Amino acid sequence: DTGVSQNPRHKITKRGQNVTFRCDPISEHNRLYWYRQTLGQGPEFLTYFQNEAQLEKSRLLSDRFSAERPKGSFSTLEIQRTEQGDSAMYLCASKDDDQPQHFGDGTRLSIL
Amino acid sequence: AQKITQTQPGMFVQEKEAVTLDCTYDTSDPSYGLFWYKQPSSGEMIFLIYQGSYDQQNATEGRYSLNFQKARKSANLVISASQLGDSAMYFCAMRDQSSASKIIFGSGTRLSIRP
């Protein structure tokens, strides 16, 4: 069990640029989640995959956000035309049936 | 609507003392699960303990125990014999049957252990 891996750990970019984050879940976990956490708050759910199918999306996930899990293994989260308000920690979690969600270390995004 | 409330933004506790972190929740679903996660300054979310709504006994994991009072809709975390390494943010979270996928987090409590 190597844990959930997220890359990069930190991303600094200018407003208006596109960014992409990657999440590698624990290998046998079929469910994968993305959350966003702003300073002083708990994580907020963004989206959820079971295998390669995206089964749920939060209203927080505007049309500038897209997530994929093409082969049911790793996932990417892309933000297009970044805005100041996108600055946050983006957390990925994975789980198997009847198990708690295991989180990665997150990607901290800073928009200049 | 599901909601998690943590009313203690911050707490200071002397090392080796026990500490209780408060959590109340709201859901209309009879089947749900409650979680506590720890988030050190490094950022990772560490799963601590889980309580199912139908579990007869309060959950325990080492120094962590969950004081589950269903009628009051509270799920307080008790840490016994606190250690310096317990200093972190602590989040209470809930999953219910209406949304079996996602979990809803509270706003967290920052726990600081004094030596």
Side-chain angles (χ1 to χ4, degrees):
Chain A
D1 181 358
T2 56
V4 178
S5 176
Q6 291 189 247
N7 288 287
R9 289 297 310 277
H10 304 275
K11 180 70 176 178
I12 302 172
T13 192
K14 292 182 180 178
R15 184 166 52 93
Q17 298 295 305
N18 299 343
V19 294
T20 301
F21 312 138
R22 177 177 169 127
C23 171
D24 287 90
I26 293 171
S27 58
E28 63 269 23
H29 286 182
N30 57 9
R31 302 185 191 192
L32 186 147
Y33 306 79
W34 285 100
Y35 291 84
R36 181 175 71 185
Q37 185 179 21
T38 53
L39 202 61
Q41 299 297 318
E44 297 172 291
F45 170 79
L46 291 179
T47 190
Y48 153 62
F49 291 85
Q50 183 156 340
N51 299 312
E52 66 275 11
Q54 189 173 17
L55 297 185
E56 190 170 349
K57 291 195 293 186
S58 162
R59 278 172 282 182
L60 292 174
L61 214 65
S62 76
D63 56 4
R64 296 184 298 106
F65 287 70
S66 62
E68 294 181 343
R69 195 183 184 198
K71 297 181 181 179
S73 56
F74 74 91
S75 175
T76 57
L77 177 67
E78 180 183 16
I79 309 173
Q80 295 181 326
R81 305 180 304 281
T82 51
E83 301 173 355
Q84 292 280 354
D86 296 333
S87 294
M89 175 78 90
Y90 289 84
L91 292 163
C92 176
S94 71
K95 74 184 292 286
D96 203 352
D97 296 341
D98 300 325
Q99 294 294 318
Q101 294 183 22
H102 292 265
F103 284 79
D105 291 349
T107 293
R108 185 172 296 283
L109 174 64
S110 298
I111 307 298
L112 301 177
Chain B
Q2 311 145 34
K3 189 177 179 182
I4 291 282
T5 302
Q6 294 180 255
T7 58
Q8 305 154 310
M11 289 188 70
F12 287 89
V13 172
Q14 203 68 32
E15 190 181 7
K16 299 181 185 176
E17 289 184 350
V19 56
T20 298
L21 304 181
D22 295 341
C23 172
T24 57
Y25 60 92
D26 193 15
T27 179
S28 55
D29 203 308
S31 176
Y32 51 89
L34 296 157
F35 305 79
W36 278 91
Y37 283 85
K38 172 184 178 182
Q39 189 176 42
S41 55
S42 50
E44 75 270 30
M45 295 283 286
I46 303 166
F47 167 74
L48 295 178
I49 196 166
Y50 169 79
Q51 179 86 44
S53 58
Y54 293 122
D55 292 345
Q56 294 296 315
Q57 294 186 324
N58 287 347
T60 60
E61 288 287 348
R63 294 186 299 112
Y64 305 108
S65 60
L66 201 151
N67 184 3
F68 181 45
Q69 298 188 40
K70 197 169 182 177
R72 293 185 178 183
K73 291 190 174 179
S74 77
N76 298 341
L77 177 70
V78 180
I79 306 174
S80 63
S82 56
Q83 302 171 357
L84 296 178
D86 294 333
S87 294
M89 284 290 290
Y90 288 81
F91 291 97
C92 181
M94 177 177 69
R95 170 186 51 79
D96 68 23
Q97 200 167 14
S98 65
S99 179
S101 56
K102 67 187 180 191
I103 54 178
I104 307 295
F105 286 84
S107 56
T109 296
R110 181 171 296 282
L111 176 64
S112 300
I113 308 298
R114 293 190 179 115

